[in-house]
Amino acid sequence: GEKVEQHESTLSVREGDSAVINCTYTDTASSYFPWYKQEAGKSLHFVIDIRSNVDRKQSQRLIVLLDKKAKRFSLHITATQPEDSAIYFCATSGGNYKPTFGKGTSLVVHP
Amino acid sequence: EAGVTQSPRYAVLQEGQAVSFWCDPISGHDTLYWYQQPRDQGPQLLVYFRDEAVIDNSQLPSDRFSAVRPKGTNSTLKIQSAKQGDTATYLCASSFHGFEQYFGPGTRLTVL
């Protein structure tokens, strides 16, 4: 089955800097790549996604890049703010849209 | 628009007891997911439905866990005989056609 590896388990940045979280996947049939954020003590909520027909998507300070050849996708958070501190999960969906999640990256933004 | 609701929010059991979790997805969402999230780990898919049909339950421990979505709306996840290893948060999520998922607040289960 699909495996999703999230490379950074923790990430610490200074407020205003950029943060980058990288994920790789194994299933070439994966076609949908969402990202979710989980703040302390709360459930997950969707932040941004990318589909396999494009290689870049931006929503305000969030940029997602997809490299299908390398089976790699990444989340870039620009101009980080303390409220960006959370755990971020990458995920994939392939055949029948079965989702597989990474293990999460704990992002800390220091003032 | 109401989000995904789950109940109960917390449950504490002794080993061997049974428990049921209930989920009400967002109206109009055809796909419903149940996840297990152990402490400090990512969500692990247990089962998901499209309408009332089970699409994949390969990660559901079938000897003790069961899940239904009889009318393609609400869903129930049941643990027949809980074990300490079942201690985790159980998340329900829904989506339209398998895209952006909306998560409920979760049920935090502790098995003593």
Side-chain angles (χ1 to χ4, degrees):
Chain A
E2 168 77 296
K3 288 181 173 49
V4 177
E5 184 174 355
Q6 203 161 338
H7 294 261
E8 299 83 7
S9 57
T10 61
L11 189 57
S12 180
V13 300
R14 192 163 291 180
E15 184 177 358
D17 289 348
S18 292
V20 182
I21 303 171
N22 295 286
C23 290
T24 52
Y25 60 98
T26 58
D27 188 355
T28 52
S30 291
S31 58
Y32 178 64
F33 307 88
W35 289 85
Y36 295 87
K37 178 181 181 181
Q38 187 171 33
E39 296 172 63
K42 297 187 178 180
S43 191
L44 284 77
H45 73 264
F46 171 86
V47 290
I48 192 170
D49 60 9
I50 191 167
R51 301 191 189 190
S52 58
N53 59 341
V54 296
D55 55 19
R56 186 183 191 277
K57 182 175 180 178
Q58 181 166 0
S59 175
Q60 299 182 319
R61 296 185 297 107
L62 303 179
I63 301 169
V64 181
L65 302 178
L66 173 63
D67 181 344
K68 292 188 292 292
K69 284 185 180 176
K71 295 205 281 290
R72 179 173 54 221
F73 59 115
S74 57
L75 174 67
H76 299 245
I77 307 173
T78 61
T80 53
Q81 300 169 1
E83 53 265 36
D84 295 328
S85 296
I87 300 174
Y88 290 82
F89 294 97
C90 62
T92 67
S93 287
N96 251 338
Y97 292 103
K98 179 178 178 179
T100 303
F101 280 73
K103 293 189 175 181
T105 296
S106 177
L107 173 65
V108 176
V109 179
H110 297 282
Chain B
E1 179 184 291
V4 176
T5 55
Q6 290 186 245
S7 65
R9 295 294 310 278
Y10 303 92
V12 180
L13 308 175
Q14 298 290 333
E15 273 201 323
Q17 289 187 306
V19 63
S20 291
F21 308 133
W22 180 83
C23 175
D24 188 4
I26 290 174
S27 177
H29 279 188
D30 58 351
T31 311
L32 184 147
Y33 312 81
W34 284 103
Y35 294 92
Q36 181 190 66
Q37 186 177 26
R39 192 175 180 84
D40 297 330
Q41 294 187 35
Q44 297 160 14
L45 181 69
L46 293 173
V47 58
Y48 75 110
F49 299 84
R50 183 143 308 123
D51 300 319
E52 67 278 5
V54 173
I55 303 301
D56 192 301
N57 62 359
S58 59
Q59 302 304 311
L60 195 68
S62 58
D63 57 334
R64 297 186 301 110
F65 285 61
S66 61
V68 294
R69 192 186 185 200
K71 295 183 180 179
T73 52
N74 301 337
S75 177
T76 304
L77 175 70
K78 183 173 182 178
I79 305 177
Q80 198 71 21
S81 178
K83 298 182 177 180
Q84 287 187 350
D86 299 332
T87 293
T89 297
Y90 290 82
L91 297 168
C92 177
S94 69
S95 77
F96 185 63
H97 287 354
F99 293 109
E100 175 183 343
Q101 292 185 42
Y102 292 79
F103 283 81
T107 297
R108 187 175 294 180
L109 173 67
T110 302
V111 183
L112 302 173

